[in-house]
Amino acid sequence: MKRIAMGAALGAILLSGCAVQQEASPASTVATGASAIGQTEAVSTAKRDTGATAITAGVPITDANRDKLQQVGAAVLFWSQQQRDQNFPHMEDQFPVHVVKAGDRVRPLPNGKALPVPAAETDAYIQSQNVAGLIVVQDGKVRLERYARGLTREGRWTSFSVAKSFTSTLAGAAIRDGFIRSVEEPVTKYIPDLSGSAYDGVTIAQLLTMTSGVKWNEDYTDPKSDVARMFSIAVPPGMDPSVAYMRTLPREAEPGTKWVYKTGETNLIGVLVGNAVKKPLATYLSETVWRRYGMERDAYWMIDPAGREVAGCCLSVSLRDYARMGQLALEGGAGVVPTGWFAEATRAHASTGRPGFGYGYQWWTYPEDRFGGQGIFGQSITVDPKSRTVIAMVSAWPKATGTDLSQARMAFLEKLFAAARQ
């Protein structure tokens, strides 16, 4: 039976679990940044001031759907293994989406020399960790590519919070394209409804690094947490639901001094970019990353009942295009973001409380100068600049997060990076 409950609650309730480290910690100084298918498609009613439209697909939004928002987080978090295997590659069968259209030019990923990793070892990891897709790209060439659990090269898989890294890239694209002047501008310039709130004086850079100083509880098991209550309040006419809640929060620290993982702030980044470019995020992602860089396949981006993309979550992307996203960041993003954007975005602006691990512009930073995006149930893009290697992996872990699962992934990634260095 097709589930039609959907909406913005997924971006807050469900995907809050993507944080590896959720405790608050002192933040480093924020720098000035880079500014110094078979699915029927239809034109969406989601518009900005320019009249830009998006292409919709998936489950249509109806009045009946809107009443079920609070059920979505729990529903997806507690899907059975069979449901995860069935739905993660076909989220558009469960939820409404906007289409991120690919262009005519595809950036090639030619085959390279096979990675010297025993096939049996790779098979064992894929089977034990419920991996659906694994690709290793070094110097722009594919050295290892494996599919399982019914996924194929032509298929897609949901990103969960890996989408945060895509959303932050759109902020960089908006600066390059002249819609935003600098990450040092105040958030309230682009989201006026936040004026008079704890976000007064907070910069775009501080929003990107989750160092706003605004108090937030990300515990998605606590029904009284902010992430659980985010879409439970009345929303003034014409105001975005995320903005309506975030503007009620108090400040607990000076901006730039404390890091706290806040899915709600990624939603604000999406609102900010959408307001600046006056286009749906999916349309702008198509115009910038997908078409300029040469992504291979259309992607899907889940939307809420208001027709806005859930900025912190839920892109459905092919495995090779996940790898291309890592390659774009590795290469510096010329033609998509300003010069130096990814150098700023993928360095540690804040400590997450674990030695060697930090947080950039919605990118996690790791030991050995690596960086990446990651989401619950085993989704990840991991980049090692030293060996010029990108590893993308999509999975259906048996639970959303777990130290055992994360440590196993880290150990396996280390073996793959070591093999790439040979």
Side-chain angles (χ1 to χ4, degrees), residues 52-324:
T53 59
I55 300 171
T56 60
V59 175
I61 299 174
T62 68
D63 289 339
N65 291 349
R66 301 175 201 271
D67 296 332
K68 299 183 178 181
L69 294 180
Q70 300 303 326
Q71 303 174 19
V72 178
V76 180
L77 279 172
F78 297 103
W79 274 346
S80 67
Q81 188 63 54
Q82 181 180 358
Q83 288 174 309
R84 287 191 288 271
D85 288 336
Q86 177 180 336
N87 295 332
F88 284 5
H90 302 290
M91 294 293 267
E92 69 279 6
D93 290 344
Q94 306 297 317
F95 306 103
V97 297
H98 280 164
V99 181
V100 182
K101 296 293 292 184
D104 296 330
R105 180 186 62 84
V106 176
R107 180 172 292 266
L109 289 177
N111 291 330
K113 184 179 178 181
L115 200 68
V117 175
E121 188 171 334
T122 302
D123 291 341
Y125 180 81
I126 288 174
Q127 183 173 358
S128 67
Q129 302 299 307
N130 294 355
V131 173
L134 167 67
I135 187 169
V136 180
V137 176
Q138 185 176 32
D139 294 323
K141 296 180 180 180
V142 178
R143 301 199 61 187
L144 176 66
E145 185 173 19
R146 295 289 302 276
Y147 295 92
R149 313 188 82 79
L151 184 64
T152 66
R153 175 174 168 177
E154 291 72 34
R156 305 173 186 82
W157 199 269
T158 189
S159 67
F160 292 111
S161 274
V162 173
K164 288 179 168 66
S165 302
F166 288 76
T167 296
S168 75
T169 300
L170 290 183
I175 291 174
R176 179 192 179 275
D177 293 345
F179 296 110
I180 297 172
R181 180 173 296 178
S182 164
V183 295
E184 297 309 315
E185 290 188 295
V187 170
T188 52
K189 176 179 178 180
Y190 298 94
I191 312 180
D193 286 332
L194 289 177
S195 295
S197 75
Y199 284 94
D200 281 341
V202 173
T203 66
I204 296 172
Q206 289 159 349
L207 201 64
L208 287 166
T209 57
M210 297 189 183
T211 60
S212 66
V214 174
K215 189 174 183 179
W216 177 264
N217 179 355
E218 185 81 10
D219 184 356
Y220 62 95
T221 65
D222 179 1
K224 295 182 180 180
S225 69
D226 294 303
V227 77
R229 297 177 56 242
M230 188 173 179
F231 295 98
S232 64
I233 68 169
V235 179
M239 186 177 294
D240 181 87
S242 297
V243 175
Y245 185 80
M246 302 298 281
R247 70 199 293 264
T248 69
L249 300 175
R251 176 173 290 177
E252 66 173 350
E254 285 300 307
T257 64
K258 185 176 183 179
W259 178 84
V260 178
Y261 189 86
K262 307 182 188 82
T263 292
E265 293 197 336
T266 309
N267 290 353
L268 290 183
I269 295 168
V271 173
L272 187 151
V273 172
N275 289 348
V277 305
K278 296 180 171 57
K279 297 176 183 178
L281 296 184
T283 301
Y284 195 52
L285 184 62
S286 171
E287 293 174 356
T288 54
V289 175
W290 250 244
R291 293 177 183 269
R292 291 181 194 172
Y293 193 69
M295 297 303 199
E296 185 174 2
R297 296 190 59 76
D298 292 352
Y300 294 135
W301 202 337
M302 190 182 297
I303 59 175
D304 65 24
R308 279 189 183 268
E309 294 81 359
V310 182
C313 170
C314 305
L315 274 162
S316 290
V317 179
S318 73
L319 182 67
R320 282 190 162 221
D321 284 342
Y322 280 125
R324 287 184 176 94

Side-chain angles (χ1 to χ4, degrees), residues 17-20 22 220 375-378 397-406:
C18 297
V20 179
Q22 295 186 7
Y220 62 95
I376 54 174
F377 292 107
W397 280 357
K399 55 185 177 181
T401 61
T403 302
D404 54 338
L405 295 165
S406 296

